[in-house]
């Protein structure tokens, strides 16, 4: 039996027909089903057409996205908004600029909520603000290799007057001259003291800029503290942490803006937390925090 | 006719049924191996086609390809539920009338042996044999229906025939088809 004969035998199957009796039975069944189906269009008519469903879905997505992106810190959608905004960083041509704008927006929102007295929402906004700062520190290109030069001078200066150094003078030069002769000292000091608040704030330069902050964290006995948490709130999440006592990170600030940083370090042996803080004013792209001594309070 | 049925014309769907019931029946018979199963399958196929009619889009393939695809799925669903078995009734239920009783009986036996052997083939083999030799579609058309190239259809067809021959040999039915190589073929 070759292929040809098999093919011909198969061809003979074409003469096989469905028995009429069975065909009639199927036809009846189909007629019944068709009538049942014809009763359904009313229900189907109520059903939304496919294009309308797709349109509705797109609308819901767009509206939800819009509401989410406009959700305030007091909204349950706020965390979703933060997540979306943070994800959008990946798609930005200038990530630093985008994150800077985000930081500005979140800081303003936190300030506004604090002013209104909504502490819970303000806390959320502050958390987001701190997260933004951390993000900025991650993405900020590190080109600050000139720091090794000022650091030896800074190391010397804080040891003499540790607590005064950060608040009084932003540059190490005046600290060197100050202890020397008291009479000339009053003359230069009033100038920055009086002019800075009056000249810097009214100029109203709301634009934030990146500030490279450096400083040292030591315990009361002067030993550098490693891995201490640096935050913008008393117990808020860490913006950065110290490495061999050194603080070195980037933040966003305005000229003349007062910034307070909190440092804490949990002693795993005693369970006690050593704390310290520093308040300083932003004067330029570099910010020397000085030596911050932490102790159990 | 399909468009009219889609628009809700019952008589158009009736015409589609009359037109395609036999090819679908043969397809179902080859898959199930039993006439009563094939009849139930035909009903199932056309009921499913009725439900799926709105979704049917003419993509240049014959409507029967749409029905075969439904039939294939329906047969798979059915074979999961039941096991096909042959009945004596199937052997005697020959729709073809013939004045010569002996000849009719021989053809019926032959047909049943063939259907039996085909029901044991892989679905792809069975489909290609049905479409090519029973329904008479060209290799290119079968290729379009089954998503294969013409060459692939020919290769598949060759393997399917070989497999069918072996199936008939195994059942001892191959001798029944000797006449197709001689006098019958000449006809």
């Amino acid at each position: 039996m070759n292929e040809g004969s098999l093919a011909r035998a198969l061809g003979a199957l074409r003469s096989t027909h469905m028995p009429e009796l069975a065909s009639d039975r199927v036809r009846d069944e189909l007629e019944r089903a068709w009538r049942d189906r014809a009763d359904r269009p009313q229900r189907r008519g109520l059903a939304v057409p496919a294009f309308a469903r797709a349109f509705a879905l797109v609308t819901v997505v767009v509206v939800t996205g819009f509401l989410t992106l406009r959700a305030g810190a007091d909204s349950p959608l706020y965390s979703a908004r933060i997540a979306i905004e943070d994800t959008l960083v990946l798609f930005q041509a200038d990530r630093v600029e985008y994150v800077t704008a985000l930081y500005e927006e979140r800081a303003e929102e936190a300030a506004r909520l604090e002013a209104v007295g909504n502490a819970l929402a303000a806390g959320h906004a502050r958390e987001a603000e701190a997260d933004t700062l951390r993000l900025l520190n991650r993405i900020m290109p590190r080109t600050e290799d000139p720091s090794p030069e000022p650091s030896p001078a800074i190391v010397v200066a804080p040891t003499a007057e540790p607590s005064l150094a950060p608040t009084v003078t932003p540059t190490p030069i005046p600290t060197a001259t100050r202890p020397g002769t008291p009479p000339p000292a009053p003359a230069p000091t009033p100038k920055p003291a009086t002019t800075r608040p009056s000249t810097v704030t009214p100029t109203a330069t709301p634009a934030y800029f990146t500030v490279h902050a450096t400083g040292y964290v030591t315990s009361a006995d002067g030993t550098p503290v490693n891995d201490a948490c640096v935050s913008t709130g008393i117990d808020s999440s860490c913006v950065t942490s110290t490495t061999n006592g050194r603080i070195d990170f980037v933040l966003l600030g305005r000229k003349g803006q007062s910034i307070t940083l909190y440092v804490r370090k949990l002693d795993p042996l005693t369970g006690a937390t050593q704390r310290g803080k520093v308040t300083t004013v932003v004067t330029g792209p570099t910010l020397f925090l000085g030596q911050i001594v932490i102790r159990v309070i | 006719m399909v468009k009219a049925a889609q628009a809700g014309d019952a008589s158009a769907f009736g015409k589609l049924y009359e037109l395609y019931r036999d090819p679908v029946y043969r397809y179902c018979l080859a898959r199930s191996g039993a006439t009563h199963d094939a009849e139930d399958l035909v009903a199932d196929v056309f009921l499913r086609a009725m439900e799926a009619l709105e979704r049917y889009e003419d993509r240049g393939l014959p409507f029967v390809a749409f029905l075969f695809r439904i039939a294939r799925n329906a047969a798979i669903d059915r074979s999961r539920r039941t096991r096909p078995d042959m009945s004596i009734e199937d052997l005697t239920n020959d729709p073809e009338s013939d004045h010569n009783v002996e000849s009719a009986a021989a053809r019926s036996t032959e047909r049943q042996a063939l259907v039996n052997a085909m029901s044991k083939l892989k679905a792809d083999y069975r489909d290609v044999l049905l479409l090519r030799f029973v329904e008479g579609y060209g290799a290119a058309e079968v290729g379009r229906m089954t998503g294969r190239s013409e060459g692939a259809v020919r290769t598949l067809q060759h393997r399917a025939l070989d497999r069918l021959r072996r199936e008939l040999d195994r059942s001892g039915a191959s001798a029944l088809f000797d006449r197709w190589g001689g006098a019958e073929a000449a006809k």
Side-chain angles (χ1 to χ4, degrees):
Chain A
M1 188 171 40
N2 58 22
E3 276 195 9
S5 58
L6 253 185
R8 279 187 291 276
L10 282 166
L13 284 180
R14 203 175 306 160
S15 61
T16 305
H17 301 286
M18 190 170 176
E20 278 307 317
L21 206 62
S23 178
D24 290 345
R25 182 176 58 79
V26 173
R27 195 181 295 106
D28 290 345
E29 202 174 331
L30 289 173
E31 278 172 7
R32 266 198 310 278
W34 189 273
R35 277 196 299 274
D36 291 346
R37 185 173 168 269
D39 291 340
R40 274 185 278 161
Q42 285 84 7
R43 270 172 281 158
R44 275 197 190 158
L46 290 173
V48 186
F51 76 88
R53 279 200 298 268
F55 179 75
L57 183 68
V58 169
T59 307
V60 166
V61 169
V62 168
V63 168
T64 309
F66 181 76
L67 289 176
T68 305
L69 288 173
R70 293 187 67 86
D74 50 354
S75 161
L77 290 174
Y78 186 65
S79 53
R81 172 192 151 185
I82 298 299
I84 291 171
E85 285 177 345
D86 289 351
T87 307
L88 289 176
V89 173
L90 301 171
F91 305 99
Q92 302 302 317
D94 188 344
R95 292 182 183 183
V96 174
E97 189 187 335
Y98 174 76
V99 176
T100 305
L102 269 188
Y103 178 82
E104 192 172 339
E105 192 181 299
R106 290 171 184 177
E108 276 169 8
E109 186 163 20
R112 184 178 53 78
L113 289 164
E114 277 164 357
V116 172
N118 191 343
L120 185 67
H124 291 153
R126 286 282 176 223
E127 280 292 318
E129 181 192 336
D131 289 345
T132 315
L133 202 53
R134 270 198 299 278
L135 181 62
L136 186 68
N137 272 281
R138 278 208 304 274
I139 63 171
M140 180 69 83
R142 295 276 170 174
T143 54
E144 76 307 328
D145 271 339
S147 59
E149 280 175 15
S151 58
I154 293 162
V155 174
V156 177
T159 49
E161 296 282 333
S163 59
L164 291 174
T167 50
V168 178
T169 54
T171 54
I173 303 156
T175 51
T177 55
R178 192 164 49 85
T181 52
T189 42
K191 281 179 190 170
T194 50
T195 52
R196 269 180 197 160
S198 59
T199 52
V200 172
T201 38
T203 46
T205 48
Y208 280 85
F209 56 87
T210 54
V211 180
H212 180 197
T214 54
Y216 282 90
V217 176
T218 64
S219 53
D221 61 3
T223 53
V225 180
N226 192 34
D227 206 25
C229 166
V230 181
S231 62
T232 53
I234 290 178
D235 278 317
S236 60
S237 51
C238 310
V239 170
T240 186
S241 55
T242 58
T243 309
N244 294 326
R246 183 171 167 78
I247 297 176
D248 186 345
F249 76 113
V250 174
L251 54 86
L252 290 161
R254 288 176 170 136
K255 202 162 189 179
Q257 183 187 1
S258 174
I259 288 175
T260 301
L261 292 172
Y262 298 83
V263 182
R264 65 178 186 271
K265 168 79 177 177
L266 175 71
D267 185 343
L269 294 175
T270 62
T273 303
Q274 294 178 302
R275 294 176 186 277
K277 71 169 184 176
V278 63
T279 301
T280 186
V281 176
V282 176
T283 56
T286 55
L287 184 66
F288 178 56
L289 303 169
Q291 183 183 12
I292 306 161
V293 180
I294 58 169
R295 50 174 63 89
V296 177
I297 299 166
Chain B
M1 212 185 298
V2 176
K3 280 190 177 151
Q6 281 180 315
D9 185 346
S11 66
F13 190 76
K15 281 177 192 162
L16 285 173
Y17 170 70
E18 297 301 337
L19 195 61
Y20 294 119
R21 64 170 190 185
D22 286 334
V24 172
Y25 174 73
R26 287 190 288 267
Y27 185 94
C28 295
L29 185 63
R31 290 209 61 134
S32 67
T35 55
H36 57 272
D37 278 344
E39 289 159 12
D40 289 348
L41 262 177
V42 170
D44 197 9
V45 168
F46 279 94
L47 284 170
R48 287 184 186 208
M50 191 188 287
E51 292 301 323
L53 203 56
E54 284 174 9
R55 295 193 299 274
Y56 172 77
E57 285 173 30
D58 186 0
R59 290 174 184 161
L61 290 173
F63 184 68
V64 74
F66 170 69
L67 294 175
F68 283 154
R69 200 166 62 240
I70 294 175
R72 184 174 182 160
N73 292 332
I76 289 167
D77 290 349
R78 195 178 178 82
S79 67
R80 282 181 189 143
R81 294 194 300 268
T82 55
R83 291 186 66 178
D85 55 356
M86 298 297 296
S87 66
I88 283 293
E89 177 199 28
D90 293 330
L91 296 171
T92 54
N93 188 8
D94 182 8
E96 194 179 354
S97 64
D98 201 315
H99 296 297
N100 186 336
V101 178
E102 273 184 30
S103 164
R107 284 185 187 182
S108 176
T109 310
E110 219 178 75
R111 184 176 295 123
Q112 197 53 61
L114 208 51
V115 165
N116 225 354
M118 281 183 74
S119 70
K120 288 179 180 135
L121 295 183
K122 264 171 53 178
D124 286 348
Y125 288 167
R126 189 166 48 223
D127 286 358
V128 79
L129 292 181
L130 269 169
L131 294 170
R132 285 284 286 123
F133 303 114
V134 181
E135 300 307 327
Y137 290 104
E141 208 161 12
V142 173
R144 276 170 48 226
M145 284 184 190
T146 57
R148 290 188 173 88
S149 67
E150 192 178 336
V153 169
R154 290 190 190 283
T155 307
L156 193 68
Q157 156 194 327
H158 175 74
R159 287 184 191 153
L161 283 171
D162 185 52
R163 190 76 207 169
L164 180 66
R165 187 172 51 227
R166 277 195 264 164
E167 218 30 82
L168 289 167
D169 283 344
R170 191 182 301 166
S171 64
S174 55
L176 290 170
F177 300 91
D178 286 347
R179 69 189 177 96
W180 291 104
E184 200 73 25
K187 266 197 245 175

